Amino acid sequence: MSLRAKLLASYLAVVSLALAVAGAYAVRQIEKRYTRTYAASLETQARIIAEAVRPHLARTQDYAWVEQVAKAYEWRKGAYVGVRDPSGTKPHLGPSQPPPPPEVLQARQGQVATAERWDEWAREVRIFAAAPVWDGGRLLGIVHVSAPRLWVERQLQQIWWAFLVAGALALGAATFLGLRISRSITRPLRELEAGAQAISRGEYGRQVPVDRGDEVGRLAQAFNRMAQQLAQTIERIRAERNQLEAVLASLRDAVVAVGPRGELLLCNRAAAEMLGVPQDAIGRPLREVLDLPQLLSLLDAAAAGREQSEELRLPGGRVAEVTCSPIRGDGNPAGAVAVVRDVTDLRRSERLRRELVANVSHELRTPLTSIKGFVETLLAGALRDEDNSRRFLEIIEAETNRLTKLVDDLLELSRLESKGVTFRMQPVDLGELCAQVAARHQPRAEAAGVRLEWQAEPGVVATADPDRVEQVLTNLLDNALKFTPEGGRIRVSVRQEAQEAVVVVEDTGRGIPPDDLPHVFERFYRADRSRTRSSGGSGLGLAIAKHLVEMQGGRISATSTPGHGSVFAFWLPSAREPVPAPSEPSTGSQDPRTA
Ligand SMILES: Nc1ncnc2c1ncn2[C@@H]1O[C@H](COP(=O)(O)OP(=O)(O)O)[C@@H](O)[C@H]1O
Ligand SMILES: [Mg+2]
């Protein structure tokens, strides 16, 4: 039953009860009063008739006749008028009469009296009145009148009806008012209900109208305050959660948290990428979506309270370091969280460092062993042999030079790698620079019987450090000369390519095997060790060149056809927009100069 129906029902119940009690009481009173008034009017009737029959009774004792006269006063059909002698009986009816009724007995005492009782003769309840007929001090007779009680009741019935109609009207009015009152009470409650439902649907901060100052109005105000607070709290929580998510998402480490039953609580983007955990798997058991038994058992152990760290092999050959810790909510174990860090690169650079130490030691040892050997030979007596001493000392000098070069290259490389080198960037005319460097190598090329030529598009200007570009070019030319046999040809060219300036060094030397090609820019890497060792190279030249080019914002590449030659090229950012294509063919306005 709705509140409104309850209100209305109780309201109507109260109103009808009040109406019923008041109506019953009023009717009861009216009934009493009316009966009394009716009896009084019967008394008056009796008195009047007594007055009327007095002269007749004064003259005659014939009560039957006088009664006949009195009957003319019967005022309505059904009313009764009788005359009795002073003893209260009717002499003409003989001795076998019933005793006189009480009102008649009272009238004998000289009073007018009334009574109400069942009348056996009329077979109904009637109201009686009796009045004495006086003449001087003498009682002449008694006038006895009566009327049916039914007449009173008929009158009363009409009153009853009036009351019923009035009651029904009152009840109708009460219903109308009750409806309005109950609506005015329940309407704000309904609005509150609608507001609460809106909040439960997620419309936090929904307000309800407040247009009254009573308890319901205050309830609405409190509701609005609560809704506002709720909206603010939810907003704050949302912001905090977003922040947390943003932090987690920006972590490079994978974070995976599971609940006490092994269900996935949280997983960030790195976890999706590194471990392949789908991000929509939140709530599902982790072992259904993650196929890494090692990580799962670590999480189990952590959930049981044992914090653990281990190295983890990831699919795809990557290596990670994982730390699992228990989550404690209110002191109870509430799952575990794993932080997985991809350490593949770290491990690789550790390995490279170890290899570097091994390589450096190895590279240093060879010349040192050679020097030691010749010095020992000299000390053992070869010093006395002038010719041999000189030859040995020359070898020692060459080995020392090689050591010095090696150490210099190492220092250079380590300075470059630790970014301890400053570049003085400026516009560099690459054509000019290449011409200078090539010209400087000319004597060596001539000595080796190799043709060295160079060629440049005009106005190719790069933003670079000229000393460093020279260093790179020297390294490439050095290699080309080293690996190109007599009769070969080396060609340096400079050209513009979109936003970049390119320098290409081509040779017709022995080339680089395809297996070695991807590694030539690595430290200490030498294709065909036995032959290059003799050429005195350290295997650091190209590594240094690559660093230098990249640190100037460029890149370097090598291509080769084994047996036919190699092509090394490096690109540097242009200092200006590419020059519009000249009207002449662009094969170079500057004639290639030949050795
Ligand atoms: N122009 C070239 N022709 C053939 N092989 C080359 C050429 N340039 C470099 N290489 C190969 O690359 C290796 C590494 O070169 P580099 O780093 O300059 O070391 P190094 O010159 O000290 O040997 C060389 O040992 C050689 O095997
Ligand atoms: Mg070299």
Side-chain angles (χ1 to χ4, degrees):
M1 197 174 178
S2 76
L3 178 62
R4 197 165 164 209
K6 273 185 201 157
L7 274 173
L8 189 63
S10 47
Y11 180 76
L12 287 182
V14 167
V15 169
S16 353
L17 186 69
L19 274 176
V21 168
Y25 180 75
V27 166
R28 192 79 221 109
Q29 286 299 315
I30 288 168
E31 197 179 307
K32 258 197 211 157
R33 182 64 57 85
Y34 194 81
T35 314
R36 211 176 298 142
T37 310
Y38 198 81
S41 81
L42 271 188
E43 268 182 30
T44 311
Q45 208 76 19
R47 253 204 211 101
I48 289 168
I49 296 170
E51 206 55 41
V53 298
R54 190 155 55 102
H56 301 294
L57 281 183
R59 273 190 286 113
T60 172
Q61 295 289 299
D62 188 350
Y63 289 96
W65 180 77
V66 176
E67 192 177 62
Q68 245 4 93
V69 174
K71 284 234 187 276
Y73 290 92
E74 280 181 356
W75 62 96
R76 186 174 159 186
K77 195 166 175 331
Y80 157 82
V81 176
V83 177
R84 295 178 181 233
D85 67 7
S87 70
T89 56
K90 294 188 177 180
H92 57 280
L93 291 185
S96 60
Q97 286 182 42
E103 70 277 2
V104 174
L105 293 177
Q106 264 179 295
R108 269 173 58 188
Q109 305 301 310
Q111 294 158 17
V112 185
T114 62
E116 187 184 318
R117 68 170 173 279
W118 174 255
D119 184 43
E120 195 51 49
W121 179 70
R123 306 207 64 78
E124 63 183 355
V125 177
R126 292 181 75 92
I127 302 169
F128 297 87
V133 184
W134 288 106
D135 184 40
R138 202 159 55 100
L139 181 65
L140 295 178
I142 291 160
V143 172
H144 194 206
V145 301
S146 78
R149 158 94 209 167
L150 196 67
W151 293 357
V152 177
E153 274 158 14
R154 286 223 182 100
Q155 298 284 325
L156 283 171
Q157 240 167 30
Q158 280 174 18
I159 294 172
W160 266 114
W161 271 116
F163 262 99
L164 270 178
V165 170
L169 284 176
L171 215 57
T175 308
F176 176 71
L177 265 178
L179 275 173
R180 295 201 62 145
I181 292 172
S182 63
R183 186 182 315 142
S184 80
I185 292 175
T186 54
R187 187 180 51 86
L189 292 178
R190 261 173 219 234
E191 276 160 1
L192 278 173
E193 187 200 359
Q197 248 151 21
I199 286 177
S200 74
R201 280 196 308 270
E203 281 175 49
Y204 309 111
R206 162 78 170 256
Q207 302 280 295
V208 296
V210 180
D211 46 9
R212 43 205 291 165
D214 59 5
E215 287 85 343
V216 179
R218 286 202 296 279
L219 177 63
Q221 269 171 354
F223 178 90
N224 285 345
R225 272 199 303 276
M226 181 201 76
Q228 224 166 359
Q229 286 264 324
L230 189 67
Q232 279 165 8
T233 311
I234 299 257
E235 194 36 57
R236 209 184 51 234
I237 292 173
R238 214 199 306 259
E240 279 169 9
R241 201 194 54 194
N242 286 350
Q243 229 167 36
L244 185 70
E245 270 176 9
V247 169
L248 279 174
S250 59
L251 274 184
R252 293 242 306 276
D253 295 353
V255 179
V256 174
V258 291
R261 286 176 303 282
E263 75 278 16
L264 183 61
L265 291 183
L266 177 152
C267 116
N268 65 352
R269 195 163 20 172
E273 283 162 10
M274 205 188 295
L275 309 172
V277 179
Q279 275 191 311
D280 58 359
I282 300 287
R284 282 168 57 189
L286 184 62
R287 46 189 77 245
E288 278 181 14
V289 292
L290 180 67
D291 185 26
L292 277 174
Q294 194 189 349
L295 180 55
L296 289 170
S297 65
L298 279 176
L299 276 168
D300 286 346
R306 288 190 303 278
E307 179 159 343
Q308 269 168 322
S309 281
E310 259 184 35
E311 202 167 271
L312 191 69
R313 300 242 144 241
L314 295 179
R318 299 190 73 83
V319 187
E321 215 167 66
V322 56
T323 305
C324 289
S325 323
I327 305 174
R328 286 191 192 84
D330 311 331
N332 302 323
V337 60
V339 179
V340 185
R341 166 164 299 181
D342 190 330
V343 290
T344 315
D345 294 343
L346 191 70
R347 294 282 184 273
R348 206 176 71 108
S349 71
E350 279 167 6
R351 198 191 68 231
L352 287 178
R353 199 168 308 129
R354 276 196 304 274
E355 279 174 11
L356 177 68
V357 172
N359 278 329
V360 168
S361 317
H362 182 76
E363 295 294 332
L364 290 176
R365 215 159 97 214
T366 320
L368 281 175
T369 312
S370 155
I371 292 171
K372 188 161 176 274
F374 284 110
V375 169
E376 274 168 3
T377 317
L378 283 171
L379 288 177
L383 255 181
R384 277 172 301 237
D385 180 343
E386 184 109 353
D387 285 351
N388 269 336
S389 308
R390 181 158 196 95
R391 200 164 53 82
F392 289 172
L393 283 172
E394 275 166 5
I395 296 172
I396 290 172
E397 193 196 15
E399 292 293 351
T400 314
N401 284 344
R402 206 171 127 191
L403 267 179
T404 312
K405 169 94 167 67
L406 180 65
V407 171
D408 282 350
D409 280 356
L410 267 176
L411 279 177
E412 173 79 359
L413 197 60
S414 111
R415 267 203 307 269
L416 286 172
E417 284 183 346
S418 61
K419 312 264 188 303
V421 182
T422 44
F423 287 79
R424 288 191 313 277
M425 304 297 276
Q426 52 193 274
V428 179
D429 186 325
L430 286 182
E432 215 170 89
L433 187 84
C434 286
Q436 280 171 18
V437 177
R440 213 174 312 130
H441 282 78
Q442 191 70 293
R444 229 183 104 191
E446 270 170 39
V450 172
R451 203 152 67 113
L452 174 61
E453 50 192 47
W454 61 93
Q455 170 197 36
E457 279 177 16
V460 178
V461 181
T463 301
D465 181 334
D467 293 345
R468 300 303 181 174
V469 179
E470 187 179 327
Q471 208 179 335
V472 174
L473 194 60
T474 306
N475 265 328
L476 296 183
L477 274 176
D478 189 50
N479 283 346
L481 282 167
K482 204 153 56 175
F483 298 109
T484 307
E486 200 174 346
R489 189 168 54 95
I490 299 170
R491 183 187 165 92
V492 180
S493 55
V494 174
R495 63 169 194 270
Q496 182 78 37
E497 225 175 59
Q499 305 294 327
E500 288 169 314
V502 198
V503 179
V504 184
V505 179
E506 289 166 81
D507 65 54
T508 57
R510 61 179 163 96
I512 307 164
D515 286 350
D516 292 315
L517 200 57
H519 302 289
V520 289
F521 294 105
E522 286 172 14
R523 284 180 296 205
F524 296 115
Y525 196 90
R526 283 172 301 211
D528 188 3
R529 297 192 163 242
S530 53
R531 275 179 64 185
T532 48
R533 173 67 45 75
S534 61
S535 64
S538 63
L540 293 175
L542 285 181
I544 291 172
K546 183 171 156 75
H547 269 290
L548 287 172
V549 171
E550 284 176 357
M551 288 173 88
Q552 293 176 88
R555 67 203 149 87
I556 190 165
S557 86
T559 50
S560 174
T561 319
H564 289 90
S566 319
V567 182
F568 283 81
F570 64 93
W571 289 256
L572 289 169
S574 239
R576 58 171 93 115
E577 294 300 301
V579 231
S583 43
E584 299 161 50
S586 60
T587 43
S589 53
Q590 201 173 339
D591 281 344
R593 287 183 246 169
T594 50

